[in-house]
Amino acid sequence: MSQQLGGQQILILKEGSTRTRGRDAQGMNITAAIAVASAVRTTLGPKGMDKMLVDTIGDVVITNDGVTILKEMDIEHPAAKMMVEVAKTQDDEVGDGTTTAVVIGGELLKKAEGLLEQDVHPTIIAAGYRQAAEKAQEFLKDIAIDVKATDKAMLKKIAETAMTGKGAEASKDKLCDLVVKAVTMVADEDGTVNTDNIKVEKKTGGSIDDSEIVEGVLIDKERVHPSMPKKVTNAKILLLNAAVEFKKTEVDAEINITHPDQLQAFLDEEERMVRSIVDKIVASGATVLFCQKGIDDIAQHYLSKAGIFATRRVKKSDMEKLARATGASLVSSIDAITKEELGKAGLVEERKVSGEEMTFVEQCKNPKAVSIIVRGGTEHVVDELERAINDALRVVAVVVEDKKIVVGGGAPETELSLRLREYAASVGGRAQLAIEAFASALEVIPRTLAENAGLDPIDMLVEIRAAHEKGKKTFGLNVYEGKAADMKAAGVFEPLRVKTQAISSAAEAAIMILRIDDVIASSKSPSPEGGMPPGGMGGMGGMGGMPPGMGDY
Ligand SMILES: Nc1ncnc2c1ncn2[C@@H]1O[C@H](COP(=O)(O)OP(=O)(O)O)[C@@H](O)[C@H]1O
Ligand SMILES: [Mg+2]
């Protein structure tokens, strides 16, 4: 693009850059962001549909999870990417509500578009949205319900709501019990929960009902030698990050053997060395060895003779989990092996899961690490179950931490919408229009829940709204019976943080997109020096006698 200065053209951008400004830029960005929201909209709620995503190499993912869909979609448009960020932030902060956040974000922009058409300035819309988002947080805190972190029945309902519609329907009861148990087990006294302590291990085969919780750590490894014990009680555990084998020389050395005795001496030396390592392990009192590196044949032989259970090439992340659970230190040199470094577990046992051997480390000294084995008929089922379980783990953890919940089913959104409309009237002026737009945008949640359940969205919305106007704050949509109903009685609960985070990130993204009135994009493939742009005649770059960017603003 260029500016005229006394007939002289001054170029400020590189050739090939494109620029879109004003309403065009806004229109473009808004359209792209709305497109992202519509892509995930049909998956919202218990009756939401699934998506099948096929990547460039033909791998298939079948999911109902907002953030997974958007991550797999490989979105390019910059404004659309901002909506993907909304989903990712939601996922990082709460682990659930990703579709909700994106759908609200899209609707905020749709409503803003209506206002832009009525010539309301984007700055005014942005300011009104900001004001509305702040008020919404206040209202949300006001309608939140306090719960106890020890209320297992309530935690289970929260897990159930997060899992609804995620292909776990038939075994929801069982899986939610596992989730609540796992979170309760890893919760600290101060109320914080680190869900990283919970290992979700997938195994294809068997049925969902065979899923189980292991109080301890589950390692996808078998013992190195069949004559080692399969089961060790009161295990003294050594975590070793060094190879149990004959140390090879650093440089390639050649050993010239001229006499058979020398060969025997050499082999004896090798065996003696490995044996001394094993002796050191035995002397420490260890009965179980998890080795991050290799264990060679001779070592395997001596270890099994000593009755030690050993596994090799254990993943680093598993070693860390084992250290936390058993109180063992990670020992990184053979010389440092002592009794003090060992950890403890009541039971270390190799058991079969779906025909594959796995090592179970149970009754650990510190039970802060637990594992959930997720079973299911096919890989796609297990993958989607894992996502559902992860969502449920996160929401339960969030509630244990925050101790605040709201009901679901579109009830909080309807209540907020109502209160924001009242608030808008008290504000007046042009900001009122923006706050009202924000208020009606929130109703996209009950509306979409209705649409996805094959119900008439207008009828349903009118019914829910009417209930709220009568002060029934917890009324939302019963998607199964197609009518407004008390979500509290129905047991549909979500963490407060799901809603506060969804509304704040949706509003932030919408505001940011609205405030953009100029999009300057560098060309992707700069034209070669002095030559024609790769796009040929039609390119935006310089062409013939035409100054570059002539057609631009
Ligand atoms: N049993 C239920 N009845 C009505 N609404 C429900 C029920 N279970 C979940 N919901 C609602 O479904 C929405 C969440 O849908 P979901 O597909 O999980 O999307 P998200 O990615 O936003 O979590 C929430 O508004 C929640 O309140
Ligand atoms: Mg959800």
Short mmCIF file of all heavy atoms in Angstrom, two decimals, residues 106-150:
data_model
loop_
_atom_site.label_atom_id
_atom_site.label_comp_id
_atom_site.label_asym_id
_atom_site.label_seq_id
_atom_site.Cartn_x
_atom_site.Cartn_y
_atom_site.Cartn_z
N GLY A 106 -18.91 -16.96 19.87
CA GLY A 106 -19.47 -16.79 18.53
C GLY A 106 -20.75 -15.98 18.56
O GLY A 106 -20.98 -15.09 17.73
N GLU A 107 -21.58 -16.25 19.56
CA GLU A 107 -22.87 -15.55 19.63
C GLU A 107 -22.67 -14.08 19.99
O GLU A 107 -23.38 -13.21 19.48
CB GLU A 107 -23.76 -16.25 20.66
CG GLU A 107 -25.22 -15.87 20.59
CD GLU A 107 -25.92 -16.30 19.31
OE1 GLU A 107 -25.35 -17.14 18.56
OE2 GLU A 107 -27.04 -15.80 19.04
N LEU A 108 -21.70 -13.79 20.85
CA LEU A 108 -21.41 -12.39 21.19
C LEU A 108 -21.05 -11.62 19.92
O LEU A 108 -21.46 -10.48 19.73
CB LEU A 108 -20.24 -12.31 22.18
CG LEU A 108 -20.56 -12.67 23.63
CD1 LEU A 108 -19.28 -12.73 24.45
CD2 LEU A 108 -21.54 -11.68 24.24
N LEU A 109 -20.29 -12.27 19.04
CA LEU A 109 -19.89 -11.60 17.80
C LEU A 109 -21.07 -11.46 16.84
O LEU A 109 -21.19 -10.47 16.13
CB LEU A 109 -18.73 -12.35 17.16
CG LEU A 109 -17.42 -12.14 17.90
CD1 LEU A 109 -16.37 -13.12 17.45
CD2 LEU A 109 -16.92 -10.70 17.72
N LYS A 110 -21.92 -12.46 16.84
CA LYS A 110 -23.10 -12.39 15.96
C LYS A 110 -23.98 -11.21 16.36
O LYS A 110 -24.43 -10.43 15.52
CB LYS A 110 -23.88 -13.70 16.05
CG LYS A 110 -24.66 -14.03 14.79
CD LYS A 110 -25.46 -15.30 14.95
CE LYS A 110 -24.74 -16.53 14.43
NZ LYS A 110 -25.51 -17.77 14.67
N LYS A 111 -24.19 -11.09 17.66
CA LYS A 111 -25.02 -9.97 18.15
C LYS A 111 -24.32 -8.64 17.88
O LYS A 111 -24.97 -7.63 17.59
CB LYS A 111 -25.28 -10.10 19.65
CG LYS A 111 -26.04 -11.35 20.03
CD LYS A 111 -27.51 -11.22 19.70
CE LYS A 111 -28.20 -12.53 20.03
NZ LYS A 111 -29.41 -12.79 19.27
N ALA A 112 -23.00 -8.63 18.00
CA ALA A 112 -22.25 -7.39 17.75
C ALA A 112 -22.42 -6.97 16.30
O ALA A 112 -22.54 -5.78 16.00
CB ALA A 112 -20.78 -7.61 18.06
N GLU A 113 -22.44 -7.94 15.43
CA GLU A 113 -22.62 -7.64 14.01
C GLU A 113 -23.93 -6.90 13.78
O GLU A 113 -23.99 -5.92 13.03
CB GLU A 113 -22.61 -8.95 13.22
CG GLU A 113 -22.75 -8.74 11.74
CD GLU A 113 -21.70 -9.54 11.00
OE1 GLU A 113 -21.89 -10.76 10.90
OE2 GLU A 113 -20.72 -8.94 10.55
N GLY A 114 -24.98 -7.34 14.45
CA GLY A 114 -26.27 -6.67 14.36
C GLY A 114 -26.16 -5.22 14.78
O GLY A 114 -26.72 -4.32 14.13
N LEU A 115 -25.41 -4.97 15.86
CA LEU A 115 -25.25 -3.60 16.34
C LEU A 115 -24.42 -2.77 15.37
O LEU A 115 -24.70 -1.59 15.14
CB LEU A 115 -24.60 -3.60 17.72
CG LEU A 115 -25.44 -4.14 18.87
CD1 LEU A 115 -24.65 -4.13 20.16
CD2 LEU A 115 -26.73 -3.34 19.03
N LEU A 116 -23.40 -3.39 14.80
CA LEU A 116 -22.56 -2.66 13.84
C LEU A 116 -23.40 -2.22 12.65
O LEU A 116 -23.23 -1.12 12.13
CB LEU A 116 -21.42 -3.56 13.34
CG LEU A 116 -20.29 -3.84 14.33
CD1 LEU A 116 -19.34 -4.90 13.78
CD2 LEU A 116 -19.53 -2.58 14.68
N GLU A 117 -24.34 -3.08 12.25
CA GLU A 117 -25.21 -2.72 11.14
C GLU A 117 -26.11 -1.54 11.49
O GLU A 117 -26.49 -0.76 10.62
CB GLU A 117 -26.07 -3.93 10.72
CG GLU A 117 -25.39 -4.72 9.62
CD GLU A 117 -25.82 -6.17 9.57
OE1 GLU A 117 -26.97 -6.47 10.01
OE2 GLU A 117 -25.02 -7.01 9.13
N GLN A 118 -26.42 -1.42 12.78
CA GLN A 118 -27.21 -0.25 13.21
C GLN A 118 -26.31 0.95 13.50
O GLN A 118 -26.72 1.89 14.16
CB GLN A 118 -27.97 -0.57 14.50
CG GLN A 118 -29.03 -1.65 14.36
CD GLN A 118 -29.54 -2.07 15.73
OE1 GLN A 118 -29.84 -1.23 16.59
NE2 GLN A 118 -29.61 -3.36 15.97
N ASP A 119 -25.06 0.86 13.04
CA ASP A 119 -24.10 1.95 13.20
C ASP A 119 -23.71 2.25 14.64
O ASP A 119 -23.39 3.39 14.97
CB ASP A 119 -24.61 3.23 12.52
CG ASP A 119 -24.27 3.22 11.05
OD1 ASP A 119 -23.27 2.55 10.69
OD2 ASP A 119 -24.99 3.85 10.26
N VAL A 120 -23.73 1.25 15.48
CA VAL A 120 -23.18 1.44 16.83
C VAL A 120 -21.67 1.22 16.68
O VAL A 120 -21.24 0.24 16.05
CB VAL A 120 -23.76 0.43 17.84
CG1 VAL A 120 -23.18 0.68 19.22
CG2 VAL A 120 -25.27 0.53 17.87
N HIS A 121 -20.90 2.14 17.21
CA HIS A 121 -19.44 2.05 17.02
C HIS A 121 -18.86 0.86 17.78
O HIS A 121 -19.26 0.60 18.93
CB HIS A 121 -18.79 3.34 17.49
CG HIS A 121 -17.39 3.49 16.98
ND1 HIS A 121 -16.32 2.95 17.64
CD2 HIS A 121 -16.91 4.07 15.86
CE1 HIS A 121 -15.22 3.20 16.95
NE2 HIS A 121 -15.56 3.90 15.85
N PRO A 122 -17.91 0.17 17.16
CA PRO A 122 -17.31 -1.00 17.83
C PRO A 122 -16.76 -0.69 19.22
O PRO A 122 -16.78 -1.55 20.11
CB PRO A 122 -16.19 -1.43 16.89
CG PRO A 122 -16.25 -0.56 15.70
CD PRO A 122 -17.44 0.33 15.79
N THR A 123 -16.23 0.49 19.41
CA THR A 123 -15.68 0.85 20.72
C THR A 123 -16.78 0.82 21.78
O THR A 123 -16.54 0.40 22.92
CB THR A 123 -15.06 2.26 20.68
OG1 THR A 123 -14.27 2.33 19.52
CG2 THR A 123 -14.24 2.54 21.89
N ILE A 124 -17.96 1.29 21.38
CA ILE A 124 -19.08 1.31 22.33
C ILE A 124 -19.53 -0.12 22.63
O ILE A 124 -19.78 -0.48 23.79
CB ILE A 124 -20.24 2.15 21.76
CG1 ILE A 124 -19.77 3.60 21.72
CG2 ILE A 124 -21.50 1.99 22.61
CD1 ILE A 124 -20.76 4.57 21.21
N ILE A 125 -19.56 -0.95 21.59
CA ILE A 125 -19.94 -2.36 21.81
C ILE A 125 -18.93 -3.02 22.75
O ILE A 125 -19.28 -3.68 23.72
CB ILE A 125 -20.00 -3.14 20.48
CG1 ILE A 125 -20.90 -2.42 19.48
CG2 ILE A 125 -20.50 -4.56 20.72
CD1 ILE A 125 -20.94 -3.06 18.11
N ALA A 126 -17.64 -2.80 22.46
CA ALA A 126 -16.59 -3.42 23.26
C ALA A 126 -16.72 -2.99 24.72
O ALA A 126 -16.63 -3.82 25.64
CB ALA A 126 -15.22 -3.05 22.71
N ALA A 127 -16.94 -1.69 24.95
CA ALA A 127 -17.05 -1.20 26.32
C ALA A 127 -18.27 -1.80 27.01
O ALA A 127 -18.21 -2.21 28.18
CB ALA A 127 -17.12 0.32 26.33
N GLY A 128 -19.39 -1.86 26.29
CA GLY A 128 -20.62 -2.43 26.85
C GLY A 128 -20.42 -3.90 27.19
O GLY A 128 -20.85 -4.38 28.25
N TYR A 129 -19.73 -4.63 26.30
CA TYR A 129 -19.47 -6.05 26.54
C TYR A 129 -18.61 -6.24 27.78
O TYR A 129 -18.82 -7.15 28.57
CB TYR A 129 -18.78 -6.68 25.32
CG TYR A 129 -19.74 -7.18 24.25
CD1 TYR A 129 -21.09 -6.81 24.28
CD2 TYR A 129 -19.31 -8.01 23.22
CE1 TYR A 129 -21.97 -7.26 23.30
CE2 TYR A 129 -20.18 -8.48 22.25
CZ TYR A 129 -21.51 -8.10 22.29
OH TYR A 129 -22.37 -8.56 21.34
N ARG A 130 -17.62 -5.34 27.93
CA ARG A 130 -16.73 -5.48 29.08
C ARG A 130 -17.50 -5.29 30.38
O ARG A 130 -17.36 -6.05 31.33
CB ARG A 130 -15.60 -4.45 28.97
CG ARG A 130 -14.61 -4.53 30.12
CD ARG A 130 -13.25 -4.04 29.76
NE ARG A 130 -12.55 -4.95 28.88
CZ ARG A 130 -11.88 -4.58 27.79
NH1 ARG A 130 -11.84 -3.30 27.46
NH2 ARG A 130 -11.26 -5.46 27.07
N GLN A 131 -18.36 -4.25 30.36
CA GLN A 131 -19.18 -3.95 31.52
C GLN A 131 -20.10 -5.14 31.83
O GLN A 131 -20.23 -5.56 32.98
CB GLN A 131 -20.07 -2.75 31.16
CG GLN A 131 -20.11 -1.65 32.18
CD GLN A 131 -20.93 -0.48 31.63
OE1 GLN A 131 -20.86 -0.16 30.43
NE2 GLN A 131 -21.71 0.15 32.49
N ALA A 132 -20.69 -5.68 30.80
CA ALA A 132 -21.62 -6.80 30.97
C ALA A 132 -20.89 -8.03 31.51
O ALA A 132 -21.39 -8.73 32.40
CB ALA A 132 -22.29 -7.13 29.65
N ALA A 133 -19.68 -8.27 30.99
CA ALA A 133 -18.92 -9.44 31.44
C ALA A 133 -18.58 -9.33 32.91
O ALA A 133 -18.64 -10.32 33.66
CB ALA A 133 -17.65 -9.59 30.60
N GLU A 134 -18.24 -8.10 33.35
CA GLU A 134 -17.93 -7.91 34.77
C GLU A 134 -19.15 -8.14 35.64
O GLU A 134 -19.08 -8.80 36.67
CB GLU A 134 -17.38 -6.50 35.01
CG GLU A 134 -15.89 -6.43 34.75
CD GLU A 134 -15.39 -5.00 34.63
OE1 GLU A 134 -16.06 -4.07 35.15
OE2 GLU A 134 -14.33 -4.82 34.00
N LYS A 135 -20.26 -7.59 35.20
CA LYS A 135 -21.51 -7.77 35.95
C LYS A 135 -21.88 -9.25 36.00
O LYS A 135 -22.34 -9.76 37.02
CB LYS A 135 -22.65 -6.99 35.27
CG LYS A 135 -22.89 -5.62 35.88
CD LYS A 135 -23.48 -5.75 37.27
CE LYS A 135 -23.50 -4.40 37.96
NZ LYS A 135 -23.39 -4.41 39.40
N ALA A 136 -21.69 -9.93 34.88
CA ALA A 136 -22.05 -11.35 34.80
C ALA A 136 -21.29 -12.15 35.85
O ALA A 136 -21.84 -13.05 36.49
CB ALA A 136 -21.76 -11.89 33.41
N GLN A 137 -20.01 -11.80 36.06
CA GLN A 137 -19.21 -12.48 37.08
C GLN A 137 -19.83 -12.29 38.46
O GLN A 137 -19.92 -13.22 39.25
CB GLN A 137 -17.77 -11.96 37.10
CG GLN A 137 -17.00 -12.16 35.81
CD GLN A 137 -16.69 -13.61 35.52
OE1 GLN A 137 -16.62 -14.44 36.41
NE2 GLN A 137 -16.53 -13.95 34.25
N GLU A 138 -20.26 -11.07 38.71
CA GLU A 138 -20.89 -10.75 40.00
C GLU A 138 -22.15 -11.58 40.19
O GLU A 138 -22.35 -12.21 41.23
CB GLU A 138 -21.31 -9.28 39.98
CG GLU A 138 -20.59 -8.38 40.93
CD GLU A 138 -21.05 -6.94 40.69
OE1 GLU A 138 -22.24 -6.64 40.91
OE2 GLU A 138 -20.20 -6.13 40.25
N PHE A 139 -22.99 -11.58 39.15
CA PHE A 139 -24.25 -12.33 39.24
C PHE A 139 -23.99 -13.83 39.42
O PHE A 139 -24.69 -14.49 40.18
CB PHE A 139 -25.10 -12.11 37.98
CG PHE A 139 -25.62 -10.71 37.83
CD1 PHE A 139 -25.75 -10.13 36.57
CD2 PHE A 139 -25.98 -9.95 38.94
CE1 PHE A 139 -26.23 -8.84 36.43
CE2 PHE A 139 -26.47 -8.66 38.80
CZ PHE A 139 -26.59 -8.10 37.54
N LEU A 140 -22.97 -14.32 38.73
CA LEU A 140 -22.65 -15.75 38.83
C LEU A 140 -22.29 -16.10 40.26
O LEU A 140 -22.73 -17.12 40.80
CB LEU A 140 -21.48 -16.09 37.92
CG LEU A 140 -21.82 -16.55 36.52
CD1 LEU A 140 -20.55 -16.70 35.69
CD2 LEU A 140 -22.57 -17.88 36.53
N LYS A 141 -21.45 -15.26 40.88
CA LYS A 141 -21.03 -15.55 42.26
C LYS A 141 -22.23 -15.52 43.17
O LYS A 141 -22.31 -16.26 44.15
CB LYS A 141 -19.97 -14.55 42.70
CG LYS A 141 -18.72 -14.81 41.90
CD LYS A 141 -17.45 -14.24 42.46
CE LYS A 141 -16.32 -14.67 41.55
NZ LYS A 141 -15.80 -13.60 40.71
N ASP A 142 -23.18 -14.67 42.82
CA ASP A 142 -24.38 -14.55 43.63
C ASP A 142 -25.26 -15.80 43.55
O ASP A 142 -25.87 -16.22 44.54
CB ASP A 142 -25.15 -13.31 43.17
CG ASP A 142 -26.31 -12.99 44.08
OD1 ASP A 142 -26.07 -12.97 45.32
OD2 ASP A 142 -27.44 -12.82 43.59
N ILE A 143 -25.34 -16.41 42.36
CA ILE A 143 -26.21 -17.59 42.24
C ILE A 143 -25.48 -18.90 42.56
O ILE A 143 -26.09 -19.96 42.57
CB ILE A 143 -26.88 -17.70 40.85
CG1 ILE A 143 -25.84 -17.77 39.73
CG2 ILE A 143 -27.86 -16.57 40.61
CD1 ILE A 143 -26.45 -18.03 38.36
N ALA A 144 -24.18 -18.82 42.82
CA ALA A 144 -23.41 -20.04 43.08
C ALA A 144 -23.88 -20.72 44.37
O ALA A 144 -24.38 -20.07 45.28
CB ALA A 144 -21.93 -19.71 43.18
N ILE A 145 -23.74 -22.03 44.39
CA ILE A 145 -24.15 -22.82 45.55
C ILE A 145 -22.88 -23.35 46.24
O ILE A 145 -21.96 -23.82 45.57
CB ILE A 145 -25.01 -24.03 45.09
CG1 ILE A 145 -26.20 -23.53 44.25
CG2 ILE A 145 -25.48 -24.87 46.27
CD1 ILE A 145 -26.91 -24.63 43.48
N ASP A 146 -22.83 -23.23 47.57
CA ASP A 146 -21.67 -23.75 48.30
C ASP A 146 -21.79 -25.25 48.51
O ASP A 146 -22.87 -25.74 48.81
CB ASP A 146 -21.58 -23.07 49.68
CG ASP A 146 -21.19 -21.61 49.54
OD1 ASP A 146 -20.29 -21.32 48.73
OD2 ASP A 146 -21.80 -20.75 50.22
N VAL A 147 -20.69 -25.95 48.33
CA VAL A 147 -20.71 -27.39 48.61
C VAL A 147 -19.50 -27.76 49.47
O VAL A 147 -18.55 -26.99 49.57
CB VAL A 147 -20.66 -28.24 47.32
CG1 VAL A 147 -21.93 -28.13 46.54
CG2 VAL A 147 -19.46 -27.90 46.48
N LYS A 148 -19.56 -28.94 50.07
CA LYS A 148 -18.43 -29.41 50.86
C LYS A 148 -17.57 -30.31 49.99
O LYS A 148 -18.08 -31.11 49.20
CB LYS A 148 -18.95 -30.22 52.05
CG LYS A 148 -19.56 -29.37 53.13
CD LYS A 148 -19.43 -30.10 54.47
CE LYS A 148 -20.03 -29.30 55.59
NZ LYS A 148 -21.51 -29.24 55.51
N ALA A 149 -16.27 -30.21 50.16
CA ALA A 149 -15.35 -31.04 49.38
C ALA A 149 -15.51 -32.51 49.71
O ALA A 149 -15.07 -33.39 48.98
CB ALA A 149 -13.92 -30.59 49.63
N THR A 150 -16.16 -32.78 50.85
CA THR A 150 -16.32 -34.17 51.28
C THR A 150 -17.66 -34.77 50.83
O THR A 150 -17.93 -35.94 51.09
CB THR A 150 -16.24 -34.25 52.81
OG1 THR A 150 -17.10 -33.24 53.34
CG2 THR A 150 -14.84 -34.03 53.31
#
